[in-house]
Every structure is written in structure tokens, then in C-alpha cells.
Amino acid sequence: MGSSSRHGKGLAFPVDSRSFFKIVLSKDVLKFPESVVTKYGDCLGDTVFLKVPNSEVWPIELTKRNGQVWLQQGWSNFADFYSLAFGYVLLFSYEGNHSHFQVRIFMRSPLEIDYFGSSVKEEDNLNGEMDYSNPPESPASLMNAPSFFKVVLGRTLQDGKLEIPIIPVHTYRDYMADTAYFEVPDGSIWPIELTRRDREIWLGRGWPEFAKSYSLEDGCFLAFSYAGKCSHFQLRIFRKNTLEMEYNSSSDDTEGNSNTSRDQTEGEKRTRGGDGGKTASHKSSEVDLRTAKLESLKGRALAKASSFKYDNPFTVIRMQPSYVLNHLRISPSFVMKHILSDGECNVTLQISDKKTWSVSCLINVYGCRLCARLDNHGWQAFVRDNQLEEGDACVFELIEKAPKIKLRVRIFRDKDQV
């Protein structure tokens, strides 16, 4: 048998339209939901093969009768081995091979289980009692943290907020900024503001728009998986009939807002936010929301820079007084996606094919806010040599990836746009 990282987090959630969840009611037999049998019965042979994140594969025979299907012979051994109990949730994802499924197992707590041994007691989770003295040491260590689920209730839709369960809050709380980013399989990334009180966290501003866009209703099942970046999570949505939703029909694109980017290699993604769920076209630039508010008044250089199309991932930033005098604040989403997810690294800035400058790029959570910046020393040399002033706009285009990251910089002078 093979192995993977603890809790199975080394494997990303597989995304396939033939995915569904099932609540465990018995250790003796498991009945497939009728919606699954009706829609995907042609994928089921006489035996199914269940692959868990520790790479073990379990063949389990099916019993079929009157259009109903049960996991039977071999199921009790599987259930005993993973200590399944009433109320546990299984997430099945079709692998593409006939009758082969990847399976993720969630306790009632609602954390994903530890596939290599029990490090978290289910009874402690149910009571909400844990040792809070040893949070994860770094965001990197969260790659081994368990995924978790949340069932949407009617009151969360009425109240306009969704509470994160207490145990996941303990796991992730020190590495969650004031805004969390949720990436859905359709490519959309939703920034949703977090509301905190004591040890409790809710999804607040942006949650109602998200819920409306994906037509969430009472009984929907949400599966969260840490994406290896500060405050970023992958999110999958399952309907009340247990089937994962068809994301390509969730909603149509609407008018783009100012927070945009382009990525040729990964495909175009839509960024949606708390301002009515508007999308961000990846054919434009990625502009910090703070500077976008100034565009209509004195952002001529920014508007000019944003009007061009570039071949590589890029971000556009309008120079503020603090950027010229100190360090440059740069879009955290751009940095995490194309440069690094946490910590510090060296980046080379280049003007055309001429002189280059070496700068330090840092990203971390400061005061519960996710921040990224080009630090003082190298950046200040770049500012002086290129005579940057407040109001100028710079396009930072990624032309070389890690380990030797290089950004081509194009400068649009504000005074030239008059």
C-alpha cells in the first residue's frame, strides 16, 4: 500500500461531476443515494473500488435490487478499519475508471479523519473541547491539517452569515486574515470578510452574494480544504440530493470590477466579491481595490496601463506616497498565485532589456490582514533610478517563474497623461 501526507491533505479534492456525499447510518451496509444510482448507475459494476487518501484501495461488492444499490460484502471491514460511526460523512469522487471512487471520510466534528491513526478524539470534538495551547506553527504546517465540512441551514441564509465550526477555527485561526478566499471548481475566487468574537468566526460580508450566486439552500453540504496559502480554501458544493453541483451553470458573468488579473497557463479565473458578486475579467489588469477608488479622480496613468493586454500574468499598481517613500504593497492574491505562498523570496525587476534590480518579496498575515510587499532597500533603489512619483502606474508582468523569478516593469507617468 502507498502513503501520502497526514490526514490525506497531500491530495487535492478531486473534482468530477460524478461526486456525491453519503451520511453513514450503519456499519453493516451502505445504500447509495437514489439520485446517484439514477444519474450514474452506468458507472457501477458488480464491485466498486474505494481509494482513500492513504492510497489504500478497498474492493467492495454491490448488491442491486429494484433499482437500488448497496455496498455490502467488504463494507463492514472498511467501516471497522476506519472506525466509522453513525453520522459520519463520506465524500465519493468518481476517478474516471469504471467503478473506481476516491473517498474522503469526515467525522461528526466535522473534521476529516486522520487516515494514519487517531490524533483527534471524536468525543472531544463533539463537545467542542480541545487543547488550544498548541496551534499550528506555520501556514506550511496547515498543508497537513484536516479538511472539514459545513451543512447550510436556513437560518444561515436568513442571517446573512455562516459560522465556521469551532474545531476548524482552532486549526486555522492564527493564519486567517480579515478576509478569506474561497476557490470554487468553476475557477471563481470569492473574497469573504470574516467576523470574529472570542473563539468564534463567521463568514460575513460577501457570504450572501456567494450563497445567492450558487443558489444555496437549506441542507446544502459544503466541503472546505485548505489550499496551502494564507486564508485560501478550496470549496466544493453539494446539493440536498447529495450530488455535487454543476458549476458551469452556477451563474453568468456580469460586469467586471477593478480587481482583475490574467493567467495564460492556468486559464481565466473569475474573482467575485462582496460588492454584489461582480466578476473580474482576466483580460484586464489586477488592481488593488484601495487604489481603484481613486481611478475616476486622478488615475489617468492607471487607466492607461490597465487598457493594454499582456501575454503573461501581471498586476498594475498606482503609486501612493508611501509606496514611493517606503515599501510597495502588492496584491496578495497575485503574489500567492505566481511568486510564493508564504515567507520571503528574491525577485528581479527589469525595465525592457536593460538594467535589473533585486528586491525582496514578503507575504504574511499582519494584524489579521493578509499583506504582501516589495521591501524597502531594493525597491527604493528602483524608485530612485526610475524617478517614480505619486500617481504613476507600474505594470508588473511575470516573465520568469521560480526559482529565479523575474518581473518586467512598464511605467506609465501620470504627468504624461494630461
Side-chain angles (χ1 to χ4, degrees), residues 260-277:
T260 61
S261 67
R262 176 175 173 82
D263 186 339
Q264 270 191 329
T265 59
E266 295 184 18
E268 295 181 356
K269 290 188 177 182
R270 294 187 299 276
T271 301
R272 305 171 183 264
D275 57 343

Side-chain angles (χ1 to χ4, degrees), residues 139-190:
S141 68
L142 290 179
M143 285 302 295
N144 295 331
S147 302
F148 64 95
F149 74 86
K150 176 71 178 180
V151 177
V152 177
L153 301 178
R155 67 172 181 271
T156 67
L157 301 173
Q158 297 170 0
D159 296 342
K161 59 183 181 181
L162 179 74
E163 184 176 4
I164 301 298
I166 184 64
I167 306 305
V169 165
H170 163 67
T171 303
Y172 301 108
R173 60 177 178 170
D174 290 341
Y175 303 99
M176 295 183 70
D178 287 347
T179 299
Y181 299 84
F182 298 95
E183 182 173 349
V184 186
D186 64 2
S188 300
I189 300 176
W190 289 77

Side-chain angles (χ1 to χ4, degrees), residues 89-374:
V89 175
L90 304 183
L91 195 159
F92 293 82
S93 294
Y94 183 61
E95 267 200 327
N97 296 326
H98 191 61
S99 296
H100 283 68
F101 293 86
Q102 290 191 22
V103 180
R104 311 294 288 262
I105 305 170
F106 295 84
M107 301 179 289
R108 292 167 291 186
S109 58
L111 292 179
E112 188 172 8
I113 73 166
D114 178 354
Y115 298 97
F116 300 90
S118 180
S119 62
V120 180
K121 294 182 179 180
E122 170 72 359
E123 60 268 23
D124 289 344
N125 286 336
L126 291 174
N127 295 329
E129 299 173 357
M130 285 190 65
D131 178 9
Y132 288 88
S133 61
N134 296 300
E137 295 180 357
S138 69
S141 68
L142 290 179
M143 285 302 295
N144 295 331
S147 302
F148 64 95
F149 74 86
K150 176 71 178 180
V151 177
V152 177
L153 301 178
R155 67 172 181 271
T156 67
L157 301 173
Q158 297 170 0
D159 296 342
K161 59 183 181 181
L162 179 74
E163 184 176 4
I164 301 298
I166 184 64
I167 306 305
V169 165
H170 163 67
T171 303
Y172 301 108
R173 60 177 178 170
D174 290 341
Y175 303 99
M176 295 183 70
D178 287 347
T179 299
Y181 299 84
F182 298 95
E183 182 173 349
V184 186
D186 64 2
S188 300
I189 300 176
W190 289 77
I192 299 179
E193 292 184 5
L194 302 181
T195 300
R196 305 167 188 264
R197 187 180 65 194
D198 298 326
R199 296 188 309 193
E200 299 176 337
I201 295 181
W202 292 269
L203 303 185
R205 185 171 182 270
W207 163 252
E209 291 79 14
F210 177 89
K212 180 178 180 181
S213 180
Y214 290 99
S215 302
L216 299 189
E217 57 183 345
D218 183 62
C220 282
F221 176 94
L222 306 180
F224 297 83
S225 181
Y226 185 66
K229 304 172 183 178
C230 292
S231 297
H232 276 64
F233 293 83
Q234 295 174 352
L235 174 59
R236 295 173 63 184
I237 305 169
F238 296 79
R239 300 300 188 195
K240 288 195 296 184
N241 65 1
T242 76
L243 297 176
E244 186 164 14
M245 69 170 290
E246 299 284 349
Y247 298 100
N248 58 2
S249 61
S250 62
S251 62
D252 296 326
D253 287 349
T254 58
E255 181 182 352
N257 64 20
S258 60
N259 191 16
T260 61
S261 67
R262 176 175 173 82
D263 186 339
Q264 270 191 329
T265 59
E266 295 184 18
E268 295 181 356
K269 290 188 177 182
R270 294 187 299 276
T271 301
R272 305 171 183 264
D275 57 343
K278 295 183 179 180
T279 65
S281 169
H282 280 244
K283 296 180 180 179
S284 185
S285 62
E286 180 167 355
V287 182
D288 192 297
L289 287 173
R290 296 181 303 276
T291 61
K293 296 176 181 178
L294 303 173
E295 183 174 346
S296 61
L297 296 177
K298 50 183 180 181
R300 291 183 292 267
L302 179 63
K304 182 71 172 178
S306 302
S307 66
F308 287 86
K309 296 202 170 43
Y310 304 94
D311 295 330
N312 302 301
F314 67 95
T315 184
V316 181
I317 302 176
R318 181 181 186 275
M319 294 298 105
Q320 305 294 313
S322 61
Y323 299 172
V324 174
L325 296 174
N326 297 299
H327 57 257
L328 175 72
R329 295 181 64 180
I330 189 169
S331 165
S333 60
F334 177 83
V335 171
M336 287 192 295
K337 190 174 180 182
H338 303 295
I339 300 179
L340 79 164
S341 60
D342 179 59
E344 179 178 356
C345 71
N346 289 325
V347 174
T348 298
L349 304 182
Q350 176 180 306
I351 298 289
S352 299
D353 295 323
K354 301 178 181 179
K355 184 178 178 181
T356 61
W357 293 259
S358 179
V359 300
S360 293
C361 181
L362 302 92
I363 186 166
N364 213 327
V365 175
Y366 296 95
C368 292
R369 287 188 179 277
L370 190 63
C371 300
R373 68 181 188 272
L374 301 184

